[in-house]
Amino acid sequence: MDDIEDLLIGSGGGAPPGFRLPLTTIGVNPKRNRTKAILKTNKLSQIQDPLTSFSPKIPGTQAIYIKTFGCSHNQSDSEYMAGQLSAFGYSLSDNPEEADLWLINTCTVKSPSQSAMDTIIAKGKSSNKPLVVAGCVPQGSRNLKELEGVSIVGVQQIDRVVEVVEESLKGHEVRLLNRKTLPALDLPKVRKNKFVEILPINVGCLGACTYCKTKHARGHLGSYTIDSLVGRVRSVIADGVKEMWLSSEDTGAYGRDIGVNLPTLLNAIVAELPTDASTMLRIGMTNPPFILEHLKEIATILRHPCVYTFLHVPVQSGSDTVLSAMNREYTVSEFRIVVDTLTELVPGMQIATDIICGFPGETDEDFAETMSLIEEYKFPQVHISQFYPRPGTPAARMKKVPSNIVKKRSRELTNVFEAFTPYTGMEGKVERIWITDIASDGIHLVGHTKGYVQVLVVAPEHMLGTSAMVKITSIGRWSVFGEVIETVNHIDKTALSKKNDQDISPPNCNSSDTSACSVKLESCGCVPDSCCGKSTFGSANSRSGMAPIKQNSRNLIGWILRKRKHVPKRAESELTTGSQEKHQGSQGNLGEWNSVDKALLGGILVSFLTIIALIIHLGFRTLWSE
């Protein structure tokens, strides 16, 4: 099958981000009875004139259903494509049956993901839905039989999705796959969660893992410049984002192709974050080889109040023999150095990891070493995957471990992992959390501690996008439950420090005081069992500077006085010092009132007595008139 690549008329370099190129610059072919009919690149004269073709709907008025598989990088790509389609008038539908076209963003990491893609493509074809397939599967395996008769958008062509969709709706089959430049970061975007920005910092990687198909799709390392990434950070903060995930196939390799490194980028991004820690940064998945060179610098950044003390570092196996067969380019000892160093230097450090069970050649002794590693470190998150041979990879040609043994090892490791109680000791502690999501039960809001421990709280939806102090009431295997004490006032500490001529740290997140931050216990790349976040999100606006949630006094006067600015400050002070005393009634606080408070109370009493006097007067007047 011949591929229609980017063919630009003249010497231009394409359209600015968010703008469509002329339709004559894209290779298309009218479908005949839904059979394969792709034009070669030298046959543009056969392109159907859009002015003479009949379309039942005006372009840009149709509904698009988007289905995303895989990692957070894929999720970001889908959000970018959704943003461009929305900007050109297309509506986004959650109902595939009501949509006019299906856009499927695929993942090639594991066989089940690709099988799910095959199923949805087959369903779309049987429903006569125009289909556009994007992501790693078509990019890495463009000649798959399942992709016949559908349009394709490559991983670096997402900025041209509008053109592909328009032509596909006309019945044309379009393929855009090859280009060496990265899509712009300032494209329109529709986030699944309005408070979370998934920011790709690079594509591809420098590794050559024998089992990995993603390298075939994402290719060699390509990093965005620091200036472009910092510009995007400024933009999304201004847009109300409260959490940023740095995403890539290997965060630690960032910048090696353009002469910079990850610590340089992280320092530049952290410098742009609000100093009140109202927006948090989560560093993405990193393989051990490259982060080894920057452990102390990374530890310093992880201690920053605006950075989650969490890192996803895949080990894949506890056996050096298996790691060598995987071509992972590190040893178990080097992985231990990463974990031990970060745990020692970063209070409350939390590390997630990945394991592949049953890699070709893995012996019982190799697997026992993996079990021992997991039992020793008791990682709070372990993503366990069975080995899936991916076509075209070296591992697919290796002698396989019998499937029944692979499944048995996966169950054994899962049982070991689930026996851990990683959050023991958190009950009763007070933690600061950042709330960005609604739980699947529709009742709880989802927040995370600085160590990225998931905390479920019962609270109103307007608290989405805010930070709060919570008391941990109970713990579970996968998350903990908390009770909101108060929201954290988001005040620019830089301004305060200038005013007071002293450095003021964000509340309760001083790195030297671990008692105020989580000391317990992702950042996802295209790796097995990717740990991508939930897709549900709330619609409430972010709020800051709110009064404490708990109202201990129910009377009207107490309620009015609690709304005064000095009361939240007093409550915050009580929380910081660990005071558990309830607010006293209004009479018990008279000694603390200033003249304004007394005048306010006096005015209320005078008004109350005046109303009573007026009622009495009207009553006597009525009786007198009778």
Side-chain angles (χ1 to χ4, degrees):
M1 182 181 293
D2 295 318
D3 297 319
I4 301 300
E5 313 296 357
D6 291 39
L7 300 176
L8 303 181
I9 300 300
S11 60
F19 287 85
R20 288 176 284 190
L21 294 168
L23 292 181
T24 53
T25 69
I26 186 171
V28 299
N29 185 66
K31 292 181 183 176
R32 293 184 292 275
N33 298 324
R34 299 189 65 82
T35 61
K36 177 179 67 176
I38 304 298
L39 288 181
K40 294 187 177 181
T41 58
N42 61 353
K43 294 184 179 180
L44 290 179
S45 59
Q46 298 181 24
I47 297 175
Q48 181 176 342
D49 184 357
L51 297 179
T52 62
S53 63
F54 172 76
S55 178
K57 291 187 178 181
I58 299 173
T61 62
Q62 293 89 340
I64 311 297
Y65 169 71
I66 301 178
K67 175 67 175 179
T68 305
F69 296 95
C71 67
S72 59
H73 200 159
N74 265 20
Q75 181 63 54
S76 177
D77 286 350
S78 290
E79 292 176 354
Y80 271 125
M81 290 189 284
Q84 293 170 87
L85 291 168
S86 180
F88 281 100
Y90 292 95
S91 61
L92 305 176
S93 174
D94 292 329
N95 188 336
E97 302 304 323
E98 296 178 356
D100 298 290
L101 177 143
W102 293 0
L103 172 58
I104 307 164
N105 196 0
T106 61
C107 174
T108 190
V109 171
K110 295 166 63 175
S111 298
S113 296
Q114 190 160 329
S115 296
M117 176 209 75
D118 296 343
T119 300
I120 194 171
I121 288 177
K123 184 177 180 181
K125 288 180 177 179
S126 64
S127 302
N128 291 321
K129 296 284 187 182
L131 299 175
V132 176
V133 179
C136 293
V137 170
Q139 189 74 61
S141 305
R142 61 187 68 183
N143 294 323
L144 284 176
K145 181 180 179 181
E146 290 78 8
L147 298 177
E148 293 180 2
V150 302
S151 294
I152 289 175
V153 180
V155 294
Q156 293 187 23
Q157 301 282 8
I158 60 173
D159 55 348
R160 298 185 63 186
V161 67
V162 174
E163 302 166 74
V164 178
V165 165
E166 286 186 348
E167 293 302 323
S168 299
L169 286 167
K170 295 174 185 176
H172 300 160
E173 183 180 342
V174 183
R175 288 198 165 207
L176 293 177
L177 286 170
N178 291 344
R179 192 175 63 183
K180 295 183 179 180
T181 58
L182 299 176
L185 291 171
D186 58 353
L187 295 169
K189 197 171 192 180
V190 175
R191 302 182 191 91
K192 291 290 290 183
N193 185 328
K194 62 185 289 186
F195 299 112
V196 177
E197 167 73 4
I198 304 173
L199 181 62
I201 63 175
N202 56 265
V203 300
C205 68
L206 295 176
C209 299
T210 55
Y211 59 84
C212 184
K213 185 74 172 178
T214 305
K215 181 68 176 282
H216 295 192
R218 295 284 183 178
H220 198 67
L221 181 68
S223 303
Y224 285 96
T225 65
I226 291 180
D227 287 344
S228 64
L229 291 166
V230 168
R232 180 66 182 177
V233 168
R234 291 172 182 162
S235 174
V236 300
I237 290 176
D239 197 31
V241 162
K242 299 301 179 183
E243 192 168 289
M244 275 182 287
W245 301 354
L246 301 188
S247 178
S248 80
E249 284 63 61
D250 187 358
T251 304
Y254 169 80
R256 288 174 175 265
D257 56 322
I258 57 175
V260 293
N261 58 38
L262 181 61
T264 304
L265 170 66
L266 294 177
N267 282 317
I269 291 177
V270 166
E272 299 297 327
L273 300 179
T275 55
D276 61 358
S278 57
T279 299
M280 296 293 288
L281 178 69
R282 195 183 81 174
I283 302 174
M285 186 275 293
T286 178
N287 289 312
F290 299 114
I291 194 177
L292 271 168
E293 302 178 19
H294 309 293
L295 280 179
K296 290 185 178 181
E297 296 93 329
I298 297 297
T300 299
I301 294 165
L302 287 167
R303 289 196 300 266
H304 191 280
C306 299
V307 181
Y308 286 119
T309 54
F310 172 90
L311 203 58
H312 180 192
V313 188
V315 64
Q316 304 300 10
S317 175
S319 165
D320 284 339
T321 301
V322 175
L323 291 178
S324 178
M326 292 177 172
N327 196 28
R328 289 291 287 171
E329 300 180 342
Y330 60 87
T331 64
V332 175
S333 176
E334 289 172 326
F335 172 78
R336 288 176 178 273
I337 291 173
V338 172
V339 176
D340 294 342
T341 302
L342 293 179
T343 302
E344 178 185 355
L345 297 180
V346 183
M349 184 69 203
Q350 300 295 297
I351 294 177
T353 195
D354 300 339
I355 296 293
I356 297 177
C357 291
F359 188 82
E362 182 185 63
T363 64
D364 289 339
E365 290 74 19
D366 295 326
F367 180 66
E369 291 184 82
T370 298
M371 293 273 284
S372 177
L373 182 72
I374 300 304
E375 288 177 331
E376 177 183 350
Y377 281 97
K378 293 181 172 55
F379 299 104
Q381 297 182 38
V382 179
H383 312 120
I384 301 168
S385 174
Q386 298 176 32
F387 171 74
Y388 293 98
R390 307 303 295 129
T393 62
R397 300 188 296 270
M398 297 178 182
K399 185 177 180 179
K400 300 178 181 60
V401 176
S403 59
N404 62 320
I405 295 179
V406 175
K407 293 178 181 179
K408 178 175 178 289
R409 289 175 181 173
S410 177
R411 288 194 299 269
E412 289 178 0
L413 186 59
T414 299
N415 290 336
V416 168
F417 167 66
E418 291 184 349
F420 302 158
T421 52
Y423 307 132
T424 299
M426 289 189 67
E427 192 169 2
K429 288 191 174 183
V430 173
E431 301 275 357
R432 181 178 179 178
I433 65 170
W434 289 262
I435 304 172
T436 58
D437 212 342
I438 300 176
S440 58
D441 62 7
I443 300 174
H444 294 85
L445 299 187
V446 180
H448 290 92
T449 68
K450 193 175 187 297
Y452 214 69
V453 177
Q454 180 174 273
V455 182
L456 303 178
V457 296
V458 177
E461 284 191 26
H462 64 66
M463 288 194 65
L464 285 168
T466 68
S467 180
M469 301 303 301
V470 301
K471 181 178 181 180
I472 306 302
T473 56
S474 63
I475 61 173
R477 178 58 186 82
W478 310 106
S479 59
V480 301
F481 293 84
E483 181 182 71
V484 175
I485 298 174
E486 66 168 349
T487 54
V488 175
N489 293 311
H490 290 158
I491 303 172
D492 192 329
K493 299 299 178 180
T494 301
L496 289 177
S497 64
K498 291 180 180 179
K499 179 179 179 181
N500 298 326
D501 194 29
Q502 61 181 0
D503 182 24
I504 301 179
S505 301
N508 301 303
C509 274
N510 190 325
S511 60
S512 64
D513 181 10
T514 59
S515 63
C517 293
S518 172
V519 294
K520 296 290 176 185
L521 205 142
E522 65 196 84
S523 5
C524 308
C526 290
V527 292
D529 279 1
S530 180
C531 53
C532 301
K534 298 178 179 63
S535 59
T536 308
F537 65 95
S539 59
N541 294 328
S542 172
R543 301 184 183 184
S544 61
M546 297 173 63
I549 295 297
K550 283 191 173 182
Q551 305 291 347
N552 294 312
S553 178
R554 300 285 181 178
N555 62 75
L556 176 63
I557 297 176
W559 181 85
I560 294 174
L561 294 179
R562 274 196 301 272
K563 298 302 179 182
R564 296 185 53 76
K565 293 182 179 180
H566 68 281
V567 176
K569 294 180 181 178
R570 184 162 62 239
E572 180 177 354
S573 174
E574 291 173 355
L575 180 64
T576 304
T577 57
S579 173
Q580 302 298 323
E581 297 178 1
K582 295 184 177 180
H583 296 294
Q584 296 178 349
S586 58
Q587 295 297 323
N589 289 328
L590 283 174
E592 301 178 10
W593 292 1
N594 57 30
S595 58
V596 176
D597 295 326
K598 295 176 181 178
L600 176 62
L601 179 60
I604 293 173
L605 293 175
V606 169
S607 300
F608 180 70
L609 293 174
T610 302
I611 292 171
I612 292 177
L614 182 60
I615 292 173
I616 294 174
H617 173 72
L618 291 174
F620 277 115
R621 190 172 181 179
T622 302
L623 292 174
W624 183 263
S625 62
E626 292 176 355

